[in-house]
Amino acid sequence: MLNRSFEENEIKKTLSWLSKHWDRPIHPEYHSASTVDEAISMLNSYEGKAKLFSGGIDVISLMKNRVLLPDVLVNIKPIKRLKTIVVNSHGIAIGTLALINDLERSGLIKDKYPILFETAHSIASPHIRNMATIGGNLCQDSRCWYYRRSPDTGISYDCRRKREEGKCYARGGENQYHAIMGESGCVSVCPSDMATTLLAMDARIKTVSSSGRRLIPIDELYTPFGNILKHDELITRLEIPEIPFGSKQKFIKFRLRKTIDFAIVSVAAVIKIEGKVVSDARIVLGGVASKPYRAVKAEECLLGETITERSAAEAAERAVVDATPLSKNGYKVQIVKALVRRAVMS
Amino acid sequence: MKEYRLIGKRLPRIDARDKVKGRALYTDDISMPGMLYGLILRSPYAHAKIVKIDTSRALKLPGVKAVVTGEDTAKVKFGVISRSRKFIDEYPLAVDKVRFIGEEVAAVAATDPDAAMEALDLIEVEYQELPAVFDPEEAQKPGAPQIHEHAPGNISREHHMKKGDPDRAFKECDLVREDTFTTQSAIHAYMEPRAALASWDLTDKLMVYTSTQTPYYVQQHLGRTLGMNPDNIRIIKPFVGGGFGGKSDGLSAVEFSAALLSKHAGRPVKIVCSRDEEFTAARRKHPASITMKTGVKKDGTIVARQSRAILDGGAYCSLGPLTTVLMGTFQTLPFRFEHFQYDGYRIYTNKPPCGAMRGHGGPQVHFAQDAQLDMIAEELDLDPVEMALKNGLKTGDESAAGFKIVSSGFAECLRKVSEAADWQDKKRTEKNDPKKAYGIGLGCGGFPSGAGFYFNKTTSAHSSVIIKAGEGGGLSVLTGASDIGQGSDSVVCQIVAEVLGLPIEDIHITSADTEITPPDMGTYSSRVTVAAGNAALNAAKAAREALFKVVADKFEASPDDLLAEEQKIFVKGSPEIYTSFVDAVNLYQKKNQGSPLVVKGSYNSPDPLSPTYSFGAYICEVEVDLRTGELTVLRYTVGHDCGQPLNPMSVEGQIEGCISMGMGYAISEDLRFDGGQTLNPSFLGYAMPTANQMPKIEITHVVTDDPHGPFGAKETGEGSLDPVAPAIVNAVYNATGVRIKDLPITSGKILQGLKDKDR
């Protein structure tokens, strides 16, 4: 007992000393919000120096690697109404705090939206799925090794993603897991599997901020350096329209170990077939660009066609016509083709 | 084969319950009153002069009790291979210069881990950056940065060996192939990070709990670097969560810093490495470039081998000078050839030092050897299994590097696995599915059961065991052997119990505590079962002899006619007239004025290289997705000769572990660098196989009765790794026609290979 109080006193002394002598707080302040309004007003009052926190899967690991050093963490876990999942005849509404595991366990989702189940089931490990929220999954940051490198055992990279004048180290370095589509200052890919599938499902995101509510189509969420959300903006809900009866839906993820890992390439496809021909198709690629990439040219070539080995192969070719691989990731082009073909044929 | 009561039986480990229930204490589970938490400051530069270190701000931070740097040390270098001065090249805390990113520069101890972490940021180190070199070829060029003064051209070790006349022999061969193989940077990734807890008493004696494979060496090297008599240092190895060669360097900055900080602070200090530190700054496996030339006769007989290996050593020696030698000698197993030349060069680079890792040079050269023999077999239209049978080392043979084979079940391993895996049929299966291809491949191995030589100058035996009898009939067994999860404690108990006819529960083991247990060189080189096992066997026999003598007097029989079974000692053929084991022990004490029954046994290899060698043949079956390059390992069929398996469950555990590790090496484990910086220091970035990737494994124990091993047992922990990766490589070729000469086998490489083939 004596030891313990002794140590606690020392910790308190340390904290007070540091706050006097140091120009940054050692630990972020931690606040809990029990309503959306409360969360927004906290975010607003810290002017971009606060970060939302629920499952903590990505935020904690970014903080550990000193990529993210927020002054304040705003815990939104107590906002119960953001946890709900509603499935009805219009589609699905998912609260931002629904766990990936909740999506995986919902019988309705598994029956009616197997693509969403497959995606949820493929994410990380059961332990992480028990903690991670769908909102967090959408907002997670790049997994680029350079961007995430901790300075604790070496040097961190002051890269383009962190600073406008910075350079992109992956472009000339270890870019085997980086983008093959699009030109931008940062070649890392959006790691969210949910984003890939939600774009194929034509989902929209509802947000709230101090300046009001927004409804954002998911392909407008991402920028090459992150997302368009403002510092005091909070995703509240996802709205997914119903997938018409008779549509095929498939999510396929290619990765190193068949579990745990992020996608090297993933494909989410929702293809509507009427009278044996394709009347609508949404084919989305993950792991290839800074946002989920809609393979519009592949979709177009399927419209009005019946699905055959030939049309699937054609769609696969069309999916990669705009690919501009980097020095070490040309193999992804092949994999995209194989996965698109497989998803279309499924 | 003789039937034993305990030997060869599937027994649970003696510590299994404690481990499963979380009762086993590892270093980080141990705390002491007043204990401080230590952390290590590491170099952010690959090569730099240390101009100045200012620790004053860190020391002023409340809670910080000590900060140490190289200036606080005796500035004595260490090196695990301390027989040669040239290999003693590393300060436990950097002095004047750093040579890799992650090198230990300073250490702090504070009342809580957070204060220690903050203190690290307050240590001001002024560096003067020096030009660095990361590629072993570049490092050898004139004008390249010199990493150590004592090593011109950055050559850390070169080793040359020659037998016969390979140049002449190649001319007489029907086929000569030369290929270059390269391997990546891999790391042990033991589950328990390195950790140490050090404390001093008021008579200046030091006690250290540490997660090590080699407590004896830690004692010796800590004594040397702290400038004190090693006998005043007590090293205790608690439960250890794996090592695989990564904790066999005799000393690490973790133990040293904990000891020094504790001395300065006057309080116990515990340091536990983070996973980031383990992946960035711990020892790893040598990446190697191996150019191998093998000449054969038309019938597949191997005639000559010439090879050259360049090892990327990293910044310090570690066990690398030995790796350089072993990459030569290990490629003479498990095949016989008369003409052999090897030239190995280990090159210093500004990267984390490479040392021993399971197989110790074997996985690199066996990948090269088995892949090349597979190519040769194809060119000659021979069956690789037949070719292996023709060339395999047999009992009585001597390998080109001088390994004397006293027992070999290699041929039987080959025959058994070939049959069990349906090799002949599967090998010839037509491949015409455009989407998927199936393939089958062979990997072969052989491995010494413990080195017969020493790393240091010592008069101690490699292993010693002391047995002390209690008056209740139990036996205390003291051994320096370090159980790091491989099960040596269980094996030692099993051997003693077998010899003395006792249940295993009556054997009470104390292991790896340098104050109490006799010296043992440690857990490395696949030596523990044979060396510590033989020491235990000798000690147990000595105990039996002492007891038989007093019981024989009582029965008026000859000691040679006595048996010890089921806690009784009796004359052969008359088990009904006996003395119980307890009575025998007490009889002994009575006859010896109350002196306790204490006996000892030791073991040294009769051969300076190794007493004996294990063998194995592995057949691997894979599935390759031809459109994505995805590789799935379906099945391993294993034939393994480890002599007499003492506990088949432990042997199978080793083989399964080797398959997991070998699959990672072949397919997904790869530390990537930016200059000298490791880019993927996490379990996410460094892709070890997970449970769901494990294939079906079928193991056949080929039992040979080895003349040197305890009860005929040989090694199984390292040799089992060697054939794993090449078997996959050969299976991928069989499936796809893509020959991988550069590990790991990524889907990108398979796809590229398929493309090139179509061209």
Side-chain angles (χ1 to χ4, degrees):
Chain A
M1 277 315 281
L2 208 125
N3 251 325
R4 186 165 170 75
S5 63
F6 170 73
E7 288 196 3
E8 270 172 14
N9 282 337
E10 288 220 57
I11 294 168
K12 279 183 196 147
K13 263 179 7 205
T14 308
L15 288 173
S16 76
W17 185 90
L18 270 170
S19 54
K20 268 184 232 143
H21 293 85
W22 232 21
D23 51 2
R24 70 173 173 89
I26 3 135
H27 297 114
E29 287 176 44
Y30 182 83
H31 298 299
S32 267
S34 47
T35 65
V36 170
D37 288 346
E38 208 182 325
I40 288 164
S41 90
M42 281 179 194
L43 289 175
N44 196 22
S45 66
Y46 289 101
E47 295 170 342
K49 286 178 181 156
K51 204 74 192 167
L52 290 177
F53 175 92
S54 173
I57 300 294
D58 201 38
V59 168
I60 297 287
S61 99
L62 287 165
M63 285 169 64
K64 272 187 159 178
N65 287 6
R66 304 202 197 192
V67 178
L68 193 65
L69 296 163
D71 287 356
V72 182
L73 284 177
V74 177
N75 174 25
I76 51 170
K77 229 182 288 184
I79 313 179
K80 291 243 160 38
R81 68 180 190 87
L82 297 186
K83 291 187 209 295
T84 54
I85 301 174
V86 178
V87 185
N88 61 28
S89 57
H90 305 296
I92 328 172
I94 304 172
T96 189
L97 294 183
L99 301 179
I100 302 298
N101 187 29
D102 296 338
L103 302 177
E104 199 184 347
R105 289 223 185 145
S106 155
L108 272 174
I109 286 178
K110 193 172 178 180
D111 285 349
K112 238 184 139 189
Y113 303 94
I115 188 171
L116 200 52
F117 164 79
E118 283 163 10
T119 308
H121 185 64
S122 80
I123 289 170
S125 67
H127 321 76
I128 292 172
R129 298 200 287 272
N130 274 333
M131 299 283 287
T133 62
I134 187 159
N137 185 282
L138 289 176
C139 294
Q140 62 186 308
D141 207 345
S142 159
R143 304 302 310 190
C144 173
W145 291 343
Y146 297 91
Y147 176 66
R148 292 227 175 203
R149 188 65 175 80
S150 157
D152 287 346
T153 54
I155 41 163
S156 65
Y157 294 88
D158 194 13
C159 77
R160 177 70 181 84
R161 196 175 180 83
K162 293 178 188 159
R163 204 167 52 94
E164 207 163 321
E165 311 82 63
K167 92 176 224 214
C168 176
Y169 293 85
R171 188 180 288 278
E174 295 291 324
N175 53 38
Q176 53 271 50
Y177 301 130
H178 285 72
I180 56 169
M181 301 284 188
E183 263 301 313
S184 83
C186 167
V187 296
S188 72
V189 297
C190 170
S192 169
D193 290 321
M194 273 299 160
T196 309
T197 290
L198 291 174
L199 180 54
M201 298 174 88
D202 198 15
R204 277 149 202 268
I205 296 167
K206 274 185 159 175
T207 71
V208 186
S209 72
S210 58
S211 40
R213 294 171 189 278
R214 284 209 277 179
L215 191 62
I216 306 170
I218 205 147
D219 58 344
E220 288 171 23
L221 177 64
Y222 297 100
T223 71
F225 302 100
N227 59 43
I228 61 162
L229 298 181
K230 286 178 282 194
H231 69 81
D232 62 350
E233 191 167 17
L234 167 66
I235 296 179
T236 51
R237 210 163 291 281
L238 289 122
E239 294 196 337
I240 307 172
E242 195 189 26
I243 295 180
F245 181 76
S247 298
K248 66 163 71 198
Q249 39 175 311
K250 188 74 193 163
F251 176 76
I252 309 174
K253 182 166 169 180
F254 183 90
R255 50 186 159 177
L256 203 47
R257 282 178 287 188
K258 301 177 180 71
T259 178
I260 295 175
D261 295 317
F262 284 88
I264 289 173
V265 171
S266 65
V267 172
V270 176
I271 298 170
K272 190 175 168 191
I273 296 168
E274 284 176 301
K276 290 196 175 167
V277 298
V278 174
S279 64
D280 190 18
R282 294 177 73 89
I283 298 173
V284 182
L285 312 179
V288 300
S290 57
K291 57 183 198 169
Y293 175 91
R294 221 177 134 182
V296 179
K297 289 176 181 161
E299 294 171 358
E300 281 167 357
C301 86
L302 283 176
L303 288 178
E305 298 286 325
T306 55
I307 290 190
T308 60
E309 275 285 354
R310 229 198 77 243
S311 63
E314 174 66 16
E317 289 298 331
R318 301 290 295 161
V320 295
V321 285
D322 294 324
T324 49
L326 303 163
S327 56
K328 292 187 171 184
N329 67 6
Y331 72 102
K332 280 193 175 189
V333 175
Q334 275 301 112
I335 296 172
V336 168
K337 285 201 276 183
L339 264 49
V340 168
R341 199 161 156 176
R342 211 166 285 167
V344 172
M345 287 304 295
S346 68
Chain B
M1 291 302 300
K2 198 180 160 205
E3 262 300 307
Y4 298 101
R5 191 171 51 86
L6 294 171
I7 297 297
K9 296 292 186 302
R10 307 180 72 85
L11 302 174
R13 299 264 180 93
I14 58 166
D15 50 15
R17 275 189 197 86
D18 279 338
K19 283 189 174 175
V20 170
K21 300 199 87 173
R23 297 281 292 274
L25 296 182
Y26 295 77
T27 302
D28 193 22
D29 297 319
I30 302 167
S31 288
M32 287 182 174
M35 186 181 81
L36 304 173
Y37 297 87
L39 283 178
I40 292 171
L41 181 72
R42 299 176 178 279
S43 165
Y45 293 102
H47 199 190
K49 267 192 189 141
I50 299 173
V51 181
K52 203 175 81 185
I53 306 181
D54 183 356
T55 60
S56 57
R57 282 184 73 206
L59 276 165
K60 278 184 205 147
L61 186 73
V64 171
K65 299 296 173 192
V67 182
V68 295
T69 72
E71 289 305 308
D72 300 305
T73 68
K75 297 191 183 176
V76 175
K77 289 181 185 175
F78 78 101
V80 59
I81 308 175
S82 58
R83 292 185 77 89
S84 166
R85 287 200 60 79
K86 213 187 142 190
F87 305 145
I88 303 177
D89 63 351
E90 186 174 6
Y91 292 109
L93 281 177
V95 173
D96 300 335
K97 219 179 160 191
V98 285
R99 296 177 175 86
F100 71 94
I101 292 176
E103 182 162 357
E104 298 82 1
V105 174
V108 301
T111 47
D112 66 284
D114 287 350
M117 204 177 282
E118 298 297 341
L120 284 187
D121 285 349
L122 296 175
I123 300 173
E124 286 160 26
V125 187
E126 192 186 317
Y127 293 101
Q128 184 193 332
E129 205 178 345
L130 298 168
V133 63
F134 308 111
D135 177 71
E137 299 289 348
E138 292 296 318
Q140 293 175 73
K141 288 181 182 161
Q146 284 297 292
I147 298 172
H148 290 274
E149 275 167 23
H150 72 263
N154 291 317
I155 297 174
S156 144
R157 169 92 200 245
E158 55 183 296
H159 182 70
H160 306 280
M161 53 202 289
K162 194 169 179 182
K163 191 197 174 207
D165 188 348
D167 285 327
R168 185 182 53 76
F170 281 130
K171 288 181 191 134
E172 290 158 18
C173 288
D174 295 315
L175 174 66
V176 178
R177 259 203 85 100
E178 185 175 314
D179 301 276
T180 297
F181 300 89
T182 54
T183 65
Q184 79 277 34
S185 180
I187 196 161
H188 318 81
Y190 31 72
M191 278 298 114
E192 185 204 11
R194 286 169 302 157
L197 164 54
S199 76
W200 297 76
D201 69 14
L202 294 178
T203 61
D204 268 349
K205 287 185 184 168
L206 169 64
M207 179 167 83
V208 184
Y209 291 94
T210 176
S211 177
T212 181
Q213 300 176 226
T214 55
Y216 164 77
Y217 285 134
V218 176
Q219 183 194 30
Q220 301 302 314
H221 293 298
L222 210 45
R224 187 187 156 90
T225 48
L226 288 170
M228 63 191 283
N229 184 345
D231 288 357
N232 287 342
I233 302 174
R234 177 178 185 183
I235 305 293
I236 302 171
K237 177 212 69 72
F239 279 97
V240 170
F244 309 106
K247 297 170 181 170
S248 63
D249 262 24
L251 184 64
S252 81
V254 182
E255 289 133 352
F256 180 84
S257 303
L260 193 61
L261 286 167
S262 173
K263 177 93 180 164
H264 280 235
R267 285 163 71 167
V269 174
K270 180 160 76 182
I271 298 180
V272 181
C273 286
S274 69
R275 192 52 68 179
D276 193 343
E277 287 178 285
E278 288 294 8
F279 273 119
T280 302
R283 305 310 200 216
R284 65 251 332 256
K285 191 175 202 156
H286 288 80
S289 166
I290 301 154
T291 300
M292 188 173 270
K293 186 173 173 185
T294 303
V296 298
K297 290 282 186 198
K298 225 181 281 173
D299 66 355
T301 306
I302 305 171
V303 179
R305 158 80 50 80
Q306 198 172 39
S307 66
R308 181 186 158 88
I310 309 285
L311 289 75
D312 183 350
Y316 295 101
C317 270
S318 177
L319 271 158
L322 180 59
T323 323
T324 317
V325 177
L326 298 182
M327 280 181 59
T329 57
F330 284 176
Q331 58 177 286
T332 70
L333 291 169
F335 301 114
R336 187 182 48 236
F337 37 87
E338 293 305 314
H339 304 277
F340 179 53
Q341 187 179 344
Y342 167 73
D343 301 282
Y345 302 85
R346 182 181 190 271
I347 309 301
Y348 282 126
T349 57
N350 290 113
K351 291 197 287 196
C354 296
M357 180 168 158
R358 203 180 202 174
H360 205 176
Q364 292 96 320
V365 288
H366 279 276
F367 156 54
Q369 166 163 280
D370 283 346
Q372 189 173 58
L373 291 180
D374 198 57
M375 290 186 263
I376 288 173
E378 190 187 31
E379 277 190 53
L380 293 175
D381 199 19
L382 294 170
D383 173 11
V385 170
E386 290 300 323
M387 196 170 142
L389 273 169
K390 183 181 283 292
N391 293 293
L393 287 161
K394 299 184 181 71
T395 306
D397 282 350
E398 185 174 321
S399 92
F403 294 142
K404 294 186 186 71
I405 309 303
V406 292
S407 71
S408 167
F410 182 54
E412 202 184 336
C413 288
L414 281 164
R415 278 192 280 265
K416 285 260 163 70
V417 290
S418 156
E419 197 185 304
D422 203 5
W423 166 265
Q424 294 295 346
D425 280 357
K426 285 184 187 157
K427 178 87 178 159
R428 293 201 188 88
T429 309
E430 285 295 317
K431 326 279 184 219
N432 39 26
D433 184 337
K435 293 182 197 158
K436 287 221 161 122
Y438 295 87
I440 187 164
L442 174 70
C444 300
F447 205 83
S449 305
F453 50 84
Y454 289 95
F455 295 155
N456 66 340
K457 287 181 184 140
T458 176
T459 49
S460 290
H462 275 94
S463 281
S464 298
V465 167
I466 293 170
I467 294 178
K468 174 168 75 83
E471 60 182 44
L475 293 182
S476 299
V477 176
L478 312 179
T479 170
S482 302
D483 197 331
I484 58 165
Q486 86 276 35
S488 60
D489 280 357
S490 299
V491 155
V492 164
C493 288
Q494 199 184 353
I495 287 172
V496 173
E498 178 73 44
V499 173
L500 289 160
L502 295 173
I504 208 159
E505 295 77 21
D506 280 352
I507 315 298
H508 312 290
I509 191 164
T510 300
S511 63
D513 175 341
T514 59
E515 191 73 30
I516 297 167
T517 60
D520 182 289
M521 298 302 121
T523 293
Y524 59 87
S525 182
S526 263
R527 55 176 291 283
V528 183
T529 295
V530 169
N534 268 321
L537 182 63
N538 291 338
K541 282 180 177 166
R544 190 174 61 186
E545 192 183 315
L547 291 172
F548 278 9
K549 191 161 172 284
V550 292
V551 175
D553 283 351
K554 181 182 161 193
F555 288 159
E556 295 178 347
S558 157
D560 297 341
D561 294 334
L562 294 182
L563 280 181
E565 275 173 18
E566 291 174 7
Q567 294 164 278
K568 292 167 191 160
I569 296 169
F570 53 86
V571 178
K572 263 175 232 172
S574 337
E576 64 288 350
I577 310 163
Y578 62 86
T579 298
S580 74
F581 189 83
V582 180
D583 289 349
V585 170
N586 287 295
L587 188 59
Y588 173 91
Q589 297 201 156
K590 251 187 240 166
K591 294 233 167 159
N592 291 279
Q593 294 80 45
S595 166
L597 173 60
V598 178
V599 292
K600 58 189 193 295
S602 291
Y603 183 75
N604 268 335
S605 169
D607 185 292
L609 294 177
S610 178
T612 183
Y613 303 84
S614 74
F615 291 92
Y618 285 43
I619 286 176
C620 173
E621 292 167 57
V622 301
E623 176 192 293
V624 180
D625 184 321
L626 295 172
R627 290 188 175 155
T628 61
E630 184 172 37
L631 168 59
T632 309
V633 177
L634 300 173
R635 191 169 113 135
Y636 268 95
T637 311
V638 175
H640 191 265
D641 159 27
C642 66
Q644 161 72 53
L646 296 181
N647 182 347
M649 282 208 294
S650 271
V651 172
E652 288 157 16
Q654 286 284 3
I655 291 170
E656 286 158 11
C658 280
I659 286 175
S660 158
M661 194 176 250
M663 279 171 53
Y665 190 48
I667 299 171
S668 55
E669 293 180 24
D670 191 0
L671 289 174
R672 305 302 301 175
F673 289 91
D674 174 27
Q677 169 148 286
T678 309
L679 285 174
N680 50 343
S682 75
F683 279 126
L684 186 62
Y686 186 77
M688 291 168 77
T690 60
N692 77 332
Q693 277 160 282
M694 285 301 282
K696 278 187 189 150
I697 299 171
E698 190 185 314
I699 299 168
T700 305
H701 297 284
V702 171
V703 180
T704 54
D705 188 12
D706 189 79
H708 293 316
F711 296 98
K714 304 192 279 190
E715 81 86 35
T716 191
E718 296 191 73
S720 305
L721 182 61
D722 290 348
V724 178
I728 301 180
V729 169
N730 291 339
V732 167
Y733 179 79
N734 180 245
T736 62
V738 175
R739 173 58 68 187
I740 301 288
K741 293 184 184 178
D742 172 33
L743 289 183
I745 315 168
T746 61
S747 39
K749 285 178 196 168
I750 292 180
L751 290 173
Q752 188 60 46
L754 289 168
K755 234 186 231 173
D756 294 346
K757 206 173 55 132
D758 285 347
R759 215 164 267 157

